[in-house]
Amino acid sequence: MTAGAVAGILEHTVMYPVDSVKTRMQSLQPDPKAQYKSVFEALKKIIRTEGFWRPLRGINVTMLGAGPAHAMYFACYEKMKRTLSDIIHHGGNSHLANGIAGSMATLLHDAVMNPAEVVKQRLQMYNSPYKNVWECVRTVHRTEGLGAFYRSYTTQLTMNIPFQAIHFITYEFVQEQINPRREYNPSSHIVSGAIAGATAAAATTPLDVCKTLLNTQENMALSSVNISGHLSGMANAFRTVYQVGGIPGYFRGVQARVIYQMPSTAIAWSVYEFFKYFLTKHKLEKRSPY
């Protein structure tokens, strides 16, 4: 859990500016001042027009959610992977066990992370009306109710369960190829993590676009298709994205998503495997009389 918490906080904070760009690039009807051609150009433009710290807006609420969310996520994954591998493969590595364990861990992770995601994405949007995290929490709670923090939970799960299944299966598969003895090997964890993150991110971008729409309740996009009030539900989000942006609408921000996810998952796995190695080695040394 300690290894998971440290890995989670680092994963979300190191690449946070790119995550801010991704949220804006997924905007279905962006303000003319917030239209970007590439991730690098977007970052330059945001810093130049809105200030140096603008891409980091909402990072505090992300750190607050990421620690406990990833602690539960990795603890659940390790326990489920071992238990299911024993049942399915009698102790060997099973891709099915890895996929199921990753999916189950996601249920816990998203339950903690979803409210933080809602606040974070609203703060990341161009011309966000909220001054800070607490004002956003209070305003959303007062005007939209407690349910607003979980409006995208089913979409988040619909996205994250296939994302994590692809992610864990790819990670364990690449590890089998380049680190078959499963020793602590930093470069193999970085490479496996990056490949797993990029594959899973690209495959699940359409669901991520729908999740962003549900989280941000983007007014311009909703009014353009005559939706008044709040948009809820996966099917409605899918329909709205198609009405506003057609098929390409589902892949808005795919470049930013892959650029964000590759180093993020590489960082998460390398930090997690390091702490797991360091903490278990330390424990074994304390137990050993020699």
Side-chain angles (χ1 to χ4, degrees):
M1 286 180 96
T2 306
V6 176
I9 289 168
L10 281 172
E11 173 192 344
H12 283 283
T13 51
V14 173
M15 293 303 292
Y16 191 83
V18 180
D19 185 55
S20 293
V21 169
K22 175 190 75 81
T23 296
R24 292 199 183 189
M25 285 180 126
Q26 287 177 340
S27 171
L28 295 173
Q29 296 246 310
D31 186 290
K33 291 176 189 164
Q35 288 180 344
Y36 314 108
K37 290 185 182 74
S38 70
V39 176
F40 185 62
E41 186 243 0
L43 274 173
K44 272 200 316 192
K45 194 172 178 182
I46 292 168
I47 290 167
R48 195 177 65 245
T49 57
E50 300 172 56
F52 182 76
W53 299 107
R54 188 62 180 85
L56 294 175
R57 201 153 183 252
I59 194 169
N60 47 353
V61 73
T62 305
M63 289 171 74
L64 213 62
H70 276 72
M72 292 196 290
Y73 168 74
F74 278 111
C76 176
Y77 173 68
E78 291 286 358
K79 179 71 180 153
M80 291 285 293
K81 183 176 81 166
R82 284 210 185 92
T83 307
L84 291 169
S85 289
D86 285 346
I87 297 165
I88 298 166
H89 225 255
H90 305 296
N93 182 41
S94 159
H95 293 310
L96 179 62
N98 299 336
I100 295 169
S103 303
M104 293 303 290
T106 302
L107 287 170
L108 281 176
H109 172 274
D110 286 0
V112 175
M113 207 59 198
N114 209 87
E117 278 279 319
V118 172
V119 176
K120 176 200 82 173
Q121 290 201 301
R122 291 195 182 211
L123 289 167
Q124 285 173 334
M125 291 299 274
Y126 179 74
N127 265 349
S128 170
Y130 312 105
K131 288 190 183 75
N132 55 46
V133 168
W134 300 117
E135 193 208 327
C136 181
V137 171
R138 278 199 304 272
T139 310
V140 172
H141 182 253
R142 190 178 66 246
T143 57
E144 299 175 45
L146 208 57
F149 294 106
Y150 282 96
R151 197 179 278 133
S152 66
Y153 184 54
T154 49
T155 311
Q156 184 101 329
L157 288 177
T158 312
M159 175 184 77
N160 276 349
I161 287 174
F163 176 92
Q164 297 302 355
I166 295 166
H167 170 203
F168 281 111
I169 289 168
T170 308
Y171 179 80
E172 299 285 356
F173 173 75
V174 178
Q175 279 288 290
E176 265 181 7
Q177 308 309 309
I178 62 176
N179 185 17
R181 293 180 66 186
R182 293 308 178 94
E183 294 164 337
Y184 172 62
N185 180 336
S187 57
S188 83
H189 302 313
I190 289 168
V191 171
S192 305
I195 293 170
T199 309
T204 55
T205 296
L207 294 159
D208 193 45
V209 172
C210 294
K211 181 207 80 175
T212 298
L213 180 63
L214 288 169
N215 276 348
T216 57
Q217 296 291 311
E218 201 189 325
N219 291 326
M220 294 272 285
L222 298 184
S223 56
S224 73
V225 286
N226 299 322
I227 293 174
S228 55
H230 305 302
L231 181 73
S232 61
M234 183 71 185
N236 290 332
F238 249 96
R239 199 163 36 247
T240 308
V241 171
Y242 183 72
Q243 284 173 319
V244 178
I247 297 291
Y250 293 116
F251 290 92
R252 291 185 79 92
V254 65
Q255 177 204 24
R257 184 163 158 76
V258 171
I259 289 171
Y260 166 73
Q261 210 65 55
M262 276 183 83
S264 291
T265 38
I267 289 163
W269 277 110
S270 53
V271 171
Y272 174 67
E273 296 281 10
F274 166 74
F275 270 90
K276 198 169 80 167
Y277 166 76
F278 175 76
L279 294 168
T280 49
K281 184 170 168 276
H282 189 63
K283 211 171 178 181
L284 289 169
E285 279 172 0
K286 276 173 80 176
R287 277 187 198 159
S288 172
Y290 306 107

PDB file of all heavy atoms in Angstrom, residues 258-289:
ATOM      1  N   VAL A 258      -1.926   9.737 -24.889  1.00  0.00           N
ATOM      2  CA  VAL A 258      -0.816   8.766 -25.006  1.00  0.00           C
ATOM      3  C   VAL A 258       0.471   9.370 -24.441  1.00  0.00           C
ATOM      4  O   VAL A 258       1.207   8.709 -23.697  1.00  0.00           O
ATOM      5  CB  VAL A 258      -0.642   8.301 -26.477  1.00  0.00           C
ATOM      6  CG1 VAL A 258       0.633   7.470 -26.639  1.00  0.00           C
ATOM      7  CG2 VAL A 258      -1.855   7.491 -26.920  1.00  0.00           C
ATOM      8  N   ILE A 259       0.731  10.662 -24.767  1.00  0.00           N
ATOM      9  CA  ILE A 259       1.942  11.331 -24.258  1.00  0.00           C
ATOM     10  C   ILE A 259       1.914  11.399 -22.731  1.00  0.00           C
ATOM     11  O   ILE A 259       2.939  11.273 -22.062  1.00  0.00           O
ATOM     12  CB  ILE A 259       2.086  12.755 -24.869  1.00  0.00           C
ATOM     13  CG1 ILE A 259       2.459  12.646 -26.356  1.00  0.00           C
ATOM     14  CG2 ILE A 259       3.139  13.585 -24.138  1.00  0.00           C
ATOM     15  CD1 ILE A 259       2.423  13.968 -27.105  1.00  0.00           C
ATOM     16  N   TYR A 260       0.716  11.605 -22.157  1.00  0.00           N
ATOM     17  CA  TYR A 260       0.567  11.651 -20.692  1.00  0.00           C
ATOM     18  C   TYR A 260       0.732  10.261 -20.091  1.00  0.00           C
ATOM     19  O   TYR A 260       1.415  10.083 -19.079  1.00  0.00           O
ATOM     20  CB  TYR A 260      -0.823  12.214 -20.341  1.00  0.00           C
ATOM     21  CG  TYR A 260      -1.232  12.004 -18.897  1.00  0.00           C
ATOM     22  CD1 TYR A 260      -0.646  12.739 -17.871  1.00  0.00           C
ATOM     23  CD2 TYR A 260      -2.208  11.075 -18.555  1.00  0.00           C
ATOM     24  CE1 TYR A 260      -1.004  12.544 -16.550  1.00  0.00           C
ATOM     25  CE2 TYR A 260      -2.585  10.874 -17.239  1.00  0.00           C
ATOM     26  CZ  TYR A 260      -1.981  11.615 -16.235  1.00  0.00           C
ATOM     27  OH  TYR A 260      -2.347  11.415 -14.935  1.00  0.00           O
ATOM     28  N   GLN A 261       0.108   9.266 -20.717  1.00  0.00           N
ATOM     29  CA  GLN A 261       0.022   7.939 -20.106  1.00  0.00           C
ATOM     30  C   GLN A 261       1.334   7.159 -20.142  1.00  0.00           C
ATOM     31  O   GLN A 261       1.647   6.441 -19.193  1.00  0.00           O
ATOM     32  CB  GLN A 261      -1.085   7.135 -20.790  1.00  0.00           C
ATOM     33  CG  GLN A 261      -1.760   6.119 -19.896  1.00  0.00           C
ATOM     34  CD  GLN A 261      -2.532   6.734 -18.751  1.00  0.00           C
ATOM     35  OE1 GLN A 261      -3.394   7.560 -18.948  1.00  0.00           O
ATOM     36  NE2 GLN A 261      -2.233   6.324 -17.536  1.00  0.00           N
ATOM     37  N   MET A 262       2.097   7.303 -21.234  1.00  0.00           N
ATOM     38  CA  MET A 262       3.347   6.514 -21.345  1.00  0.00           C
ATOM     39  C   MET A 262       4.304   6.774 -20.182  1.00  0.00           C
ATOM     40  O   MET A 262       4.661   5.847 -19.455  1.00  0.00           O
ATOM     41  CB  MET A 262       4.042   6.790 -22.678  1.00  0.00           C
ATOM     42  CG  MET A 262       3.503   5.968 -23.816  1.00  0.00           C
ATOM     43  SD  MET A 262       4.405   6.263 -25.341  1.00  0.00           S
ATOM     44  CE  MET A 262       5.813   5.173 -25.130  1.00  0.00           C
ATOM     45  N   PRO A 263       4.722   8.039 -19.957  1.00  0.00           N
ATOM     46  CA  PRO A 263       5.607   8.260 -18.813  1.00  0.00           C
ATOM     47  C   PRO A 263       4.921   8.034 -17.477  1.00  0.00           C
ATOM     48  O   PRO A 263       5.551   7.578 -16.525  1.00  0.00           O
ATOM     49  CB  PRO A 263       6.040   9.725 -18.951  1.00  0.00           C
ATOM     50  CG  PRO A 263       5.248  10.311 -20.039  1.00  0.00           C
ATOM     51  CD  PRO A 263       4.501   9.254 -20.749  1.00  0.00           C
ATOM     52  N   SER A 264       3.608   8.316 -17.405  1.00  0.00           N
ATOM     53  CA  SER A 264       2.884   8.131 -16.133  1.00  0.00           C
ATOM     54  C   SER A 264       2.930   6.690 -15.669  1.00  0.00           C
ATOM     55  O   SER A 264       3.249   6.404 -14.511  1.00  0.00           O
ATOM     56  CB  SER A 264       1.412   8.552 -16.276  1.00  0.00           C
ATOM     57  OG  SER A 264       1.335   9.932 -16.434  1.00  0.00           O
ATOM     58  N   THR A 265       2.582   5.766 -16.573  1.00  0.00           N
ATOM     59  CA  THR A 265       2.581   4.353 -16.173  1.00  0.00           C
ATOM     60  C   THR A 265       4.010   3.831 -15.982  1.00  0.00           C
ATOM     61  O   THR A 265       4.251   2.992 -15.114  1.00  0.00           O
ATOM     62  CB  THR A 265       1.814   3.469 -17.183  1.00  0.00           C
ATOM     63  OG1 THR A 265       2.087   3.937 -18.494  1.00  0.00           O
ATOM     64  CG2 THR A 265       0.328   3.516 -16.946  1.00  0.00           C
ATOM     65  N   ALA A 266       4.954   4.361 -16.774  1.00  0.00           N
ATOM     66  CA  ALA A 266       6.368   3.976 -16.590  1.00  0.00           C
ATOM     67  C   ALA A 266       6.839   4.406 -15.198  1.00  0.00           C
ATOM     68  O   ALA A 266       7.484   3.629 -14.472  1.00  0.00           O
ATOM     69  CB  ALA A 266       7.234   4.614 -17.667  1.00  0.00           C
ATOM     70  N   ILE A 267       6.484   5.638 -14.804  1.00  0.00           N
ATOM     71  CA  ILE A 267       6.846   6.152 -13.465  1.00  0.00           C
ATOM     72  C   ILE A 267       6.167   5.307 -12.387  1.00  0.00           C
ATOM     73  O   ILE A 267       6.806   4.864 -11.428  1.00  0.00           O
ATOM     74  CB  ILE A 267       6.435   7.643 -13.322  1.00  0.00           C
ATOM     75  CG1 ILE A 267       7.327   8.538 -14.184  1.00  0.00           C
ATOM     76  CG2 ILE A 267       6.516   8.107 -11.858  1.00  0.00           C
ATOM     77  CD1 ILE A 267       6.754   9.933 -14.440  1.00  0.00           C
ATOM     78  N   ALA A 268       4.857   5.077 -12.566  1.00  0.00           N
ATOM     79  CA  ALA A 268       4.094   4.338 -11.549  1.00  0.00           C
ATOM     80  C   ALA A 268       4.687   2.949 -11.305  1.00  0.00           C
ATOM     81  O   ALA A 268       4.934   2.564 -10.160  1.00  0.00           O
ATOM     82  CB  ALA A 268       2.629   4.214 -11.965  1.00  0.00           C
ATOM     83  N   TRP A 269       4.947   2.206 -12.391  1.00  0.00           N
ATOM     84  CA  TRP A 269       5.470   0.846 -12.224  1.00  0.00           C
ATOM     85  C   TRP A 269       6.896   0.833 -11.677  1.00  0.00           C
ATOM     86  O   TRP A 269       7.214   0.018 -10.809  1.00  0.00           O
ATOM     87  CB  TRP A 269       5.415   0.085 -13.553  1.00  0.00           C
ATOM     88  CG  TRP A 269       4.066  -0.504 -13.823  1.00  0.00           C
ATOM     89  CD1 TRP A 269       3.173  -0.110 -14.775  1.00  0.00           C
ATOM     90  CD2 TRP A 269       3.435  -1.575 -13.110  1.00  0.00           C
ATOM     91  NE1 TRP A 269       2.037  -0.860 -14.693  1.00  0.00           N
ATOM     92  CE2 TRP A 269       2.170  -1.777 -13.699  1.00  0.00           C
ATOM     93  CE3 TRP A 269       3.816  -2.379 -12.044  1.00  0.00           C
ATOM     94  CZ2 TRP A 269       1.282  -2.746 -13.251  1.00  0.00           C
ATOM     95  CZ3 TRP A 269       2.922  -3.351 -11.594  1.00  0.00           C
ATOM     96  CH2 TRP A 269       1.678  -3.536 -12.186  1.00  0.00           C
ATOM     97  N   SER A 270       7.759   1.741 -12.175  1.00  0.00           N
ATOM     98  CA  SER A 270       9.154   1.719 -11.699  1.00  0.00           C
ATOM     99  C   SER A 270       9.223   2.119 -10.228  1.00  0.00           C
ATOM    100  O   SER A 270       9.954   1.505  -9.444  1.00  0.00           O
ATOM    101  CB  SER A 270      10.051   2.599 -12.561  1.00  0.00           C
ATOM    102  OG  SER A 270       9.525   3.901 -12.668  1.00  0.00           O
ATOM    103  N   VAL A 271       8.432   3.130  -9.823  1.00  0.00           N
ATOM    104  CA  VAL A 271       8.421   3.555  -8.414  1.00  0.00           C
ATOM    105  C   VAL A 271       7.809   2.464  -7.543  1.00  0.00           C
ATOM    106  O   VAL A 271       8.334   2.117  -6.480  1.00  0.00           O
ATOM    107  CB  VAL A 271       7.640   4.893  -8.251  1.00  0.00           C
ATOM    108  CG1 VAL A 271       7.440   5.229  -6.776  1.00  0.00           C
ATOM    109  CG2 VAL A 271       8.372   6.032  -8.933  1.00  0.00           C
ATOM    110  N   TYR A 272       6.703   1.882  -8.027  1.00  0.00           N
ATOM    111  CA  TYR A 272       6.020   0.825  -7.268  1.00  0.00           C
ATOM    112  C   TYR A 272       6.934  -0.391  -7.072  1.00  0.00           C
ATOM    113  O   TYR A 272       7.078  -0.901  -5.961  1.00  0.00           O
ATOM    114  CB  TYR A 272       4.741   0.410  -7.996  1.00  0.00           C
ATOM    115  CG  TYR A 272       4.049  -0.773  -7.360  1.00  0.00           C
ATOM    116  CD1 TYR A 272       3.463  -0.669  -6.101  1.00  0.00           C
ATOM    117  CD2 TYR A 272       4.000  -2.005  -8.000  1.00  0.00           C
ATOM    118  CE1 TYR A 272       2.851  -1.749  -5.501  1.00  0.00           C
ATOM    119  CE2 TYR A 272       3.388  -3.094  -7.424  1.00  0.00           C
ATOM    120  CZ  TYR A 272       2.813  -2.957  -6.177  1.00  0.00           C
ATOM    121  OH  TYR A 272       2.203  -4.039  -5.584  1.00  0.00           O
ATOM    122  N   GLU A 273       7.565  -0.842  -8.162  1.00  0.00           N
ATOM    123  CA  GLU A 273       8.443  -2.030  -8.075  1.00  0.00           C
ATOM    124  C   GLU A 273       9.667  -1.730  -7.199  1.00  0.00           C
ATOM    125  O   GLU A 273      10.123  -2.595  -6.459  1.00  0.00           O
ATOM    126  CB  GLU A 273       8.884  -2.474  -9.481  1.00  0.00           C
ATOM    127  CG  GLU A 273       7.755  -2.955 -10.381  1.00  0.00           C
ATOM    128  CD  GLU A 273       7.290  -4.381 -10.095  1.00  0.00           C
ATOM    129  OE1 GLU A 273       7.705  -4.962  -9.079  1.00  0.00           O
ATOM    130  OE2 GLU A 273       6.488  -4.904 -10.894  1.00  0.00           O
ATOM    131  N   PHE A 274      10.177  -0.483  -7.267  1.00  0.00           N
ATOM    132  CA  PHE A 274      11.320  -0.120  -6.428  1.00  0.00           C
ATOM    133  C   PHE A 274      10.938  -0.187  -4.948  1.00  0.00           C
ATOM    134  O   PHE A 274      11.641  -0.797  -4.139  1.00  0.00           O
ATOM    135  CB  PHE A 274      11.837   1.288  -6.750  1.00  0.00           C
ATOM    136  CG  PHE A 274      12.787   1.821  -5.699  1.00  0.00           C
ATOM    137  CD1 PHE A 274      14.082   1.327  -5.603  1.00  0.00           C
ATOM    138  CD2 PHE A 274      12.365   2.766  -4.765  1.00  0.00           C
ATOM    139  CE1 PHE A 274      14.952   1.780  -4.606  1.00  0.00           C
ATOM    140  CE2 PHE A 274      13.227   3.230  -3.767  1.00  0.00           C
ATOM    141  CZ  PHE A 274      14.521   2.735  -3.698  1.00  0.00           C
ATOM    142  N   PHE A 275       9.816   0.443  -4.584  1.00  0.00           N
ATOM    143  CA  PHE A 275       9.405   0.462  -3.177  1.00  0.00           C
ATOM    144  C   PHE A 275       9.047  -0.935  -2.686  1.00  0.00           C
ATOM    145  O   PHE A 275       9.326  -1.291  -1.543  1.00  0.00           O
ATOM    146  CB  PHE A 275       8.230   1.430  -2.964  1.00  0.00           C
ATOM    147  CG  PHE A 275       8.697   2.818  -2.637  1.00  0.00           C
ATOM    148  CD1 PHE A 275       8.931   3.747  -3.639  1.00  0.00           C
ATOM    149  CD2 PHE A 275       8.936   3.205  -1.330  1.00  0.00           C
ATOM    150  CE1 PHE A 275       9.386   5.028  -3.346  1.00  0.00           C
ATOM    151  CE2 PHE A 275       9.393   4.475  -1.020  1.00  0.00           C
ATOM    152  CZ  PHE A 275       9.618   5.390  -2.026  1.00  0.00           C
ATOM    153  N   LYS A 276       8.428  -1.721  -3.568  1.00  0.00           N
ATOM    154  CA  LYS A 276       8.078  -3.102  -3.196  1.00  0.00           C
ATOM    155  C   LYS A 276       9.363  -3.889  -2.915  1.00  0.00           C
ATOM    156  O   LYS A 276       9.468  -4.581  -1.900  1.00  0.00           O
ATOM    157  CB  LYS A 276       7.281  -3.747  -4.337  1.00  0.00           C
ATOM    158  CG  LYS A 276       6.505  -4.980  -3.901  1.00  0.00           C
ATOM    159  CD  LYS A 276       5.529  -5.430  -4.971  1.00  0.00           C
ATOM    160  CE  LYS A 276       6.216  -6.225  -6.050  1.00  0.00           C
ATOM    161  NZ  LYS A 276       5.279  -6.927  -6.929  1.00  0.00           N
ATOM    162  N   TYR A 277      10.344  -3.724  -3.800  1.00  0.00           N
ATOM    163  CA  TYR A 277      11.641  -4.399  -3.648  1.00  0.00           C
ATOM    164  C   TYR A 277      12.345  -3.905  -2.382  1.00  0.00           C
ATOM    165  O   TYR A 277      12.812  -4.692  -1.560  1.00  0.00           O
ATOM    166  CB  TYR A 277      12.498  -4.111  -4.890  1.00  0.00           C
ATOM    167  CG  TYR A 277      13.960  -4.460  -4.750  1.00  0.00           C
ATOM    168  CD1 TYR A 277      14.394  -5.785  -4.804  1.00  0.00           C
ATOM    169  CD2 TYR A 277      14.921  -3.459  -4.573  1.00  0.00           C
ATOM    170  CE1 TYR A 277      15.737  -6.107  -4.673  1.00  0.00           C
ATOM    171  CE2 TYR A 277      16.270  -3.772  -4.443  1.00  0.00           C
ATOM    172  CZ  TYR A 277      16.672  -5.093  -4.500  1.00  0.00           C
ATOM    173  OH  TYR A 277      17.985  -5.409  -4.370  1.00  0.00           O
ATOM    174  N   PHE A 278      12.394  -2.584  -2.210  1.00  0.00           N
ATOM    175  CA  PHE A 278      13.090  -1.971  -1.079  1.00  0.00           C
ATOM    176  C   PHE A 278      12.448  -2.386   0.254  1.00  0.00           C
ATOM    177  O   PHE A 278      13.135  -2.782   1.190  1.00  0.00           O
ATOM    178  CB  PHE A 278      13.050  -0.445  -1.237  1.00  0.00           C
ATOM    179  CG  PHE A 278      13.639   0.303  -0.062  1.00  0.00           C
ATOM    180  CD1 PHE A 278      15.008   0.385   0.113  1.00  0.00           C
ATOM    181  CD2 PHE A 278      12.813   0.920   0.878  1.00  0.00           C
ATOM    182  CE1 PHE A 278      15.560   1.066   1.191  1.00  0.00           C
ATOM    183  CE2 PHE A 278      13.346   1.605   1.957  1.00  0.00           C
ATOM    184  CZ  PHE A 278      14.727   1.675   2.117  1.00  0.00           C
ATOM    185  N   LEU A 279      11.118  -2.321   0.319  1.00  0.00           N
ATOM    186  CA  LEU A 279      10.413  -2.626   1.585  1.00  0.00           C
ATOM    187  C   LEU A 279      10.464  -4.110   1.927  1.00  0.00           C
ATOM    188  O   LEU A 279      10.647  -4.485   3.078  1.00  0.00           O
ATOM    189  CB  LEU A 279       8.960  -2.142   1.520  1.00  0.00           C
ATOM    190  CG  LEU A 279       8.771  -0.609   1.438  1.00  0.00           C
ATOM    191  CD1 LEU A 279       7.344  -0.260   1.078  1.00  0.00           C
ATOM    192  CD2 LEU A 279       9.151   0.067   2.749  1.00  0.00           C
ATOM    193  N   THR A 280      10.301  -4.992   0.905  1.00  0.00           N
ATOM    194  CA  THR A 280      10.339  -6.434   1.192  1.00  0.00           C
ATOM    195  C   THR A 280      11.763  -6.877   1.520  1.00  0.00           C
ATOM    196  O   THR A 280      11.968  -7.707   2.393  1.00  0.00           O
ATOM    197  CB  THR A 280       9.776  -7.275   0.024  1.00  0.00           C
ATOM    198  OG1 THR A 280      10.388  -6.825  -1.182  1.00  0.00           O
ATOM    199  CG2 THR A 280       8.277  -7.124  -0.108  1.00  0.00           C
ATOM    200  N   LYS A 281      12.760  -6.289   0.830  1.00  0.00           N
ATOM    201  CA  LYS A 281      14.170  -6.615   1.100  1.00  0.00           C
ATOM    202  C   LYS A 281      14.519  -6.203   2.534  1.00  0.00           C
ATOM    203  O   LYS A 281      15.142  -6.952   3.287  1.00  0.00           O
ATOM    204  CB  LYS A 281      15.053  -5.862   0.094  1.00  0.00           C
ATOM    205  CG  LYS A 281      16.533  -6.177   0.177  1.00  0.00           C
ATOM    206  CD  LYS A 281      17.238  -5.567  -1.035  1.00  0.00           C
ATOM    207  CE  LYS A 281      18.743  -5.590  -0.854  1.00  0.00           C
ATOM    208  NZ  LYS A 281      19.273  -4.469  -0.099  1.00  0.00           N
ATOM    209  N   HIS A 282      14.076  -5.008   2.912  1.00  0.00           N
ATOM    210  CA  HIS A 282      14.305  -4.474   4.259  1.00  0.00           C
ATOM    211  C   HIS A 282      13.680  -5.393   5.320  1.00  0.00           C
ATOM    212  O   HIS A 282      14.284  -5.699   6.338  1.00  0.00           O
ATOM    213  CB  HIS A 282      13.698  -3.071   4.334  1.00  0.00           C
ATOM    214  CG  HIS A 282      14.065  -2.335   5.589  1.00  0.00           C
ATOM    215  ND1 HIS A 282      15.370  -1.999   5.894  1.00  0.00           N
ATOM    216  CD2 HIS A 282      13.307  -1.876   6.624  1.00  0.00           C
ATOM    217  CE1 HIS A 282      15.400  -1.374   7.067  1.00  0.00           C
ATOM    218  NE2 HIS A 282      14.150  -1.291   7.518  1.00  0.00           N
ATOM    219  N   LYS A 283      12.488  -5.866   5.009  1.00  0.00           N
ATOM    220  CA  LYS A 283      11.748  -6.748   5.937  1.00  0.00           C
ATOM    221  C   LYS A 283      12.492  -8.079   6.107  1.00  0.00           C
ATOM    222  O   LYS A 283      12.636  -8.594   7.203  1.00  0.00           O
ATOM    223  CB  LYS A 283      10.355  -7.011   5.331  1.00  0.00           C
ATOM    224  CG  LYS A 283       9.264  -7.213   6.361  1.00  0.00           C
ATOM    225  CD  LYS A 283       7.951  -7.233   5.602  1.00  0.00           C
ATOM    226  CE  LYS A 283       6.767  -7.473   6.483  1.00  0.00           C
ATOM    227  NZ  LYS A 283       5.526  -7.517   5.690  1.00  0.00           N
ATOM    228  N   LEU A 284      12.950  -8.623   4.971  1.00  0.00           N
ATOM    229  CA  LEU A 284      13.670  -9.906   5.006  1.00  0.00           C
ATOM    230  C   LEU A 284      14.986  -9.768   5.758  1.00  0.00           C
ATOM    231  O   LEU A 284      15.371 -10.672   6.518  1.00  0.00           O
ATOM    232  CB  LEU A 284      13.929 -10.411   3.580  1.00  0.00           C
ATOM    233  CG  LEU A 284      12.711 -10.903   2.799  1.00  0.00           C
ATOM    234  CD1 LEU A 284      13.057 -11.122   1.343  1.00  0.00           C
ATOM    235  CD2 LEU A 284      12.163 -12.189   3.407  1.00  0.00           C
ATOM    236  N   GLU A 285      15.684  -8.649   5.574  1.00  0.00           N
ATOM    237  CA  GLU A 285      16.945  -8.430   6.262  1.00  0.00           C
ATOM    238  C   GLU A 285      16.734  -8.347   7.771  1.00  0.00           C
ATOM    239  O   GLU A 285      17.551  -8.826   8.560  1.00  0.00           O
ATOM    240  CB  GLU A 285      17.610  -7.145   5.754  1.00  0.00           C
ATOM    241  CG  GLU A 285      18.349  -7.356   4.455  1.00  0.00           C
ATOM    242  CD  GLU A 285      18.850  -6.053   3.843  1.00  0.00           C
ATOM    243  OE1 GLU A 285      18.607  -4.991   4.440  1.00  0.00           O
ATOM    244  OE2 GLU A 285      19.460  -6.109   2.764  1.00  0.00           O
ATOM    245  N   LYS A 286      15.605  -7.736   8.176  1.00  0.00           N
ATOM    246  CA  LYS A 286      15.311  -7.609   9.613  1.00  0.00           C
ATOM    247  C   LYS A 286      15.016  -8.973  10.225  1.00  0.00           C
ATOM    248  O   LYS A 286      15.355  -9.248  11.365  1.00  0.00           O
ATOM    249  CB  LYS A 286      14.098  -6.675   9.814  1.00  0.00           C
ATOM    250  CG  LYS A 286      14.496  -5.201   9.833  1.00  0.00           C
ATOM    251  CD  LYS A 286      13.299  -4.294   9.870  1.00  0.00           C
ATOM    252  CE  LYS A 286      12.735  -4.189  11.261  1.00  0.00           C
ATOM    253  NZ  LYS A 286      11.622  -3.223  11.328  1.00  0.00           N
ATOM    254  N   ARG A 287      14.365  -9.831   9.409  1.00  0.00           N
ATOM    255  CA  ARG A 287      14.013 -11.179   9.905  1.00  0.00           C
ATOM    256  C   ARG A 287      15.235 -12.086   9.990  1.00  0.00           C
ATOM    257  O   ARG A 287      15.342 -12.930  10.858  1.00  0.00           O
ATOM    258  CB  ARG A 287      13.003 -11.825   8.946  1.00  0.00           C
ATOM    259  CG  ARG A 287      11.582 -11.389   9.222  1.00  0.00           C
ATOM    260  CD  ARG A 287      10.659 -12.202   8.360  1.00  0.00           C
ATOM    261  NE  ARG A 287       9.358 -11.578   8.242  1.00  0.00           N
ATOM    262  CZ  ARG A 287       8.507 -11.832   7.284  1.00  0.00           C
ATOM    263  NH1 ARG A 287       8.823 -12.677   6.333  1.00  0.00           N
ATOM    264  NH2 ARG A 287       7.330 -11.256   7.234  1.00  0.00           N
ATOM    265  N   SER A 288      16.154 -11.915   9.015  1.00  0.00           N
ATOM    266  CA  SER A 288      17.311 -12.801   8.937  1.00  0.00           C
ATOM    267  C   SER A 288      18.275 -12.557  10.099  1.00  0.00           C
ATOM    268  O   SER A 288      18.659 -11.443  10.384  1.00  0.00           O
ATOM    269  CB  SER A 288      18.024 -12.575   7.602  1.00  0.00           C
ATOM    270  OG  SER A 288      19.234 -13.284   7.621  1.00  0.00           O
ATOM    271  N   PRO A 289      18.728 -13.642  10.758  1.00  0.00           N
ATOM    272  CA  PRO A 289      19.671 -13.455  11.886  1.00  0.00           C
ATOM    273  C   PRO A 289      21.091 -13.178  11.406  1.00  0.00           C
ATOM    274  O   PRO A 289      21.938 -12.788  12.180  1.00  0.00           O
ATOM    275  CB  PRO A 289      19.587 -14.792  12.633  1.00  0.00           C
ATOM    276  CG  PRO A 289      19.179 -15.788  11.602  1.00  0.00           C
ATOM    277  CD  PRO A 289      18.365 -15.058  10.576  1.00  0.00           C
TER     278      PRO A 289
END
